[in-house]
């Protein structure tokens, strides 16, 4: 297959924001793609060459992309920068220069998907000395034989800014329509299978084979699975209505979600964003080997930080460093130790236990965990049908400094990736939203060169809509919390466009933002503005699909 087929598809997809139309465009393409016998090429639809959970990145900045354009099309960086300043999009810049080059050469070779996929995979794997030059050479090889449209989307791909909007739901719609048009029940089956596998190549391959191959997609320790999500309640009466009584009530620990997998001697740790954080938590790996019985399992846990001197639990902010930091791990293990609170199990002794009722899964947890204070324990729980007892447990949770409680439906299965009301959260109300940073502005004076105020956005379907500009909450020094330096380092590689003092960034960095109230406002694309917004925490554990939705804002306005 020629890469041009992909480029034309990207173009067609970018012409509509409608979910149905996008799916319709994808259906014939998927039917054609499967004939290639290379299901992994489906990753390219989202600008990747790896499954979604794999954090592998191209490591290409706008600066390097400019160099690639120069080398491939024989232009100077001044020409590229000048063009970029007028059109504002490096994709279109590459398209223009590719066009000019195309007019001046007589022969051109076709670019195959095999070649693109192969070179892009190599770009991701290259590390160490001279990495940039080798990446540049691999990309230049592709760009030299790229047509203008191909060049446009290749640049956007390597900058992780494809902008064609193929969200999970759209790809699932398209797979269902392409391979199971006569069976409407398959759309949900595909989604459940995807939430187990988190790998569209695997799902695509199974979809081509048929229904039973989809049914056979199973949990595998070592491959991340989406966590079951909670719905919110404002009272126990509401929570009891959602779950039915009796319910299990547990402490809501204030740390971060971790799925802990074990297969033989191997332990794997994943965040709720499906990021593999095993190497950041050698202490957790050790505790699991020592304190949990069983050769293979997947546990659902909340990992909480504590101060080793005072033995007081620390807020999420402190241990978020443990997720981010990839060096000095032993020092962090010592300075910021964590305790594992296990509250569920998905897989045990070579078998999925997703369909067992929650009480039965909890029995397994009780049986296999050997608790040790400050290392690992089973979450505190009561089972009750009495609101009074539940209230007392809630009060106790708040007294000991927990965030609130989780109320769980005792006979419910585990539904990966879903917010189905089997798990309900109840906590004192706080006005905050998780939002994603889509733009920023450079500071002045002693904060010159640092990005110090941030445009934050919520979601609406596939789109990100701005809700305000935040310039408070960050600290001058790293020891005091998230600093301007750290945030600048996170955002700079994501810059897509610079306009004077302002930058546009790829939506990736999720932050919790508190505010005083919400007002209607024409200043932002959402139509709303947060008043007195303040960043409280950077959420490296959360993905952009987990941020607040426009409907959440409308509800609070
Ligand atoms: P917030 O953004 O308000 O801090 P959140 O969005 O991370 O919270 P919520 O949806 O409010 O999470 O609550 C669900 C989360 O609570 C789970 O994802 C899990 O990380 C955490 N949690 C803590 N204790 C428990 C428990 N006993 N059972 C289930 N989840 C728990």
């Amino acid at each position: 297959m020629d890469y041009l087929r992909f480029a034309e598809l990207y173009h067609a997809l970018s012409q509509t924001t409608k979910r149905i139309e996008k799916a319709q465009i994808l259906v014939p393409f998927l039917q054609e793609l499967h004939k290639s016998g290379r299901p992994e090429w489906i990753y390219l639809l989202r600008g990747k060459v790896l499954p979604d959970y794999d954090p592998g990145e191209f490591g290409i900045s706008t600066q390097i992309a400019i160099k690639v354009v120069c080398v491939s099309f024989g232009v100077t960086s001044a020409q590229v920068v000048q063009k970029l300043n007028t059109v504002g999009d490096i994709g279109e810049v590459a398209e223009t220069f590719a066009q000019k080059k195309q007019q001046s050469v007589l022969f051109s070779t076709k670019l195959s998907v095999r070649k693109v996929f192969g070179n892009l995979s190599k770009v991701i794997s290259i590390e160490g000395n001279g990495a940039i030059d080798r990446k540049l050479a691999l990309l230049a090889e592709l760009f030299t034989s790229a047509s203008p449209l191909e060049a446009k989307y290749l640049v956007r791909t390597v900058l992780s800014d494809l902008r064609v909007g193929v969200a999970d739901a759209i790809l699932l719609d398209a797979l269902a329509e392409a391979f199971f048009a006569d069976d409407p029940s398959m759309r949900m089956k595909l989604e459940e299978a995807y939430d187990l596998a988190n790998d569209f190549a695997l799902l695509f391959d199974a979809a081509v084979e048929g229904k039973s191959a989809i049914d056979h997609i199973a949990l595998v320790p070592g491959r991340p699975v989406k966590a079951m999500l909670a719905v919110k309640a404002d009272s126990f009466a509401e929570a009891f209505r959602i779950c039915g009584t009796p319910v299990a009530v547990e402490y809501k620990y204030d740390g971060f979600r971790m799925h802990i997998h074990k297969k033989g001697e191997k332990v794997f740790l994943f965040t709720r964003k499906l990021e593999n954080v095993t190497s950041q938590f050698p202490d957790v790996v050790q505790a699991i080997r020592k304190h949990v019985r069983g050769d293979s399992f997947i546990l659902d846990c909340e990992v909480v930080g504590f101060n080793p001197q005072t033995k007081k639990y620390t807020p999420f902010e402190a241990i978020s460093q443990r997720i981010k930091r990839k060096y000095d791990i032993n020092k962090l293990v010592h300075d910021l130790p964590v305790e594992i609170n296990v509250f569920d199990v998905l897989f045990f002794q070579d078998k999925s236990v997703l369909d067992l009722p929650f009480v039965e899964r909890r029995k397994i947890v009780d049986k296999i965990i050997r608790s040790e204070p400050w290392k690992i324990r089973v979450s505190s729980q009561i089972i009750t049908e009495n609101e009074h007892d539940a209230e007392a447990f809630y009060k106790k949770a708040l007294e000991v400094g927990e965030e609130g409680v989780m109320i769980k439906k005792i006979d419910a299965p585990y539904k990966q990736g879903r917010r189905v009301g089997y798990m309900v959260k109840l906590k004192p109300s706080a006005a905050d939203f998780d939002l994603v940073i889509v733009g920023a502005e450079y500071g002045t004076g002693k904060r010159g060169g640092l990005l110090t105020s941030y445009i934050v956005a919520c979601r609406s379907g596939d789109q990100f809509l701005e809700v305000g500009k935040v310039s408070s909450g960050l600290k001058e020094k790293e020891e005091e919390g998230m600093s301007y330096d750290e945030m600048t380092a996170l955002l700079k590689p994501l810059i897509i466009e610079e306009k004077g003092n302002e930058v546009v960034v790829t939506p990736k960095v999720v932050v919790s933002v508190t505010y005083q109230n919400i007002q209607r406002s024409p200043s932002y694309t959402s139509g709303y503005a947060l008043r007195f917004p303040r960043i409280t925490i950077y959420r490296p554990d959360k993905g952009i699909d987990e941020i607040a939705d426009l409907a959440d804002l409308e509800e609070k306005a």
Side-chain angles (χ1 to χ4, degrees), residues 37-58:
R38 299 285 301 266
E40 67 276 24
W41 289 353
I42 198 171
Y43 301 144
L44 285 172
L45 289 179
R46 328 243 280 192
K48 297 196 62 165
V49 288
L50 294 166
D52 287 340
Y53 62 81
D54 196 309
E57 286 183 355
F58 296 116

Side-chain angles (χ1 to χ4, degrees), residues 250-253 257 302 408 425 427 539 542:
E250 295 179 5
Y251 281 179
K252 184 177 191 307
Y253 301 98
R257 188 86 172 255
E302 184 82 354
K408 299 179 179 180
K425 59 185 170 186
K427 57 183 183 182
R539 299 291 311 244
K542 280 206 167 177

Side-chain angles (χ1 to χ4, degrees), residues 428-478:
S429 64
D432 75 350
F433 285 120
D434 289 333
L435 300 167
V436 69
I437 297 180
V438 294
E441 197 178 309
Y442 285 104
T444 51
K446 76 175 168 47
R447 293 191 192 157
L450 293 176
L451 291 165
T452 52
S453 65
Y454 316 98
I455 305 283
V456 286
C458 67
R459 269 192 98 97
S460 174
D462 276 350
Q463 286 179 300
F464 295 100
L465 302 177
E466 296 167 0
V467 297
K469 191 175 200 176
V470 196
S471 51
S472 63
L474 266 63
K475 308 287 187 298
E476 299 292 340
K477 294 188 199 136
E478 194 171 338

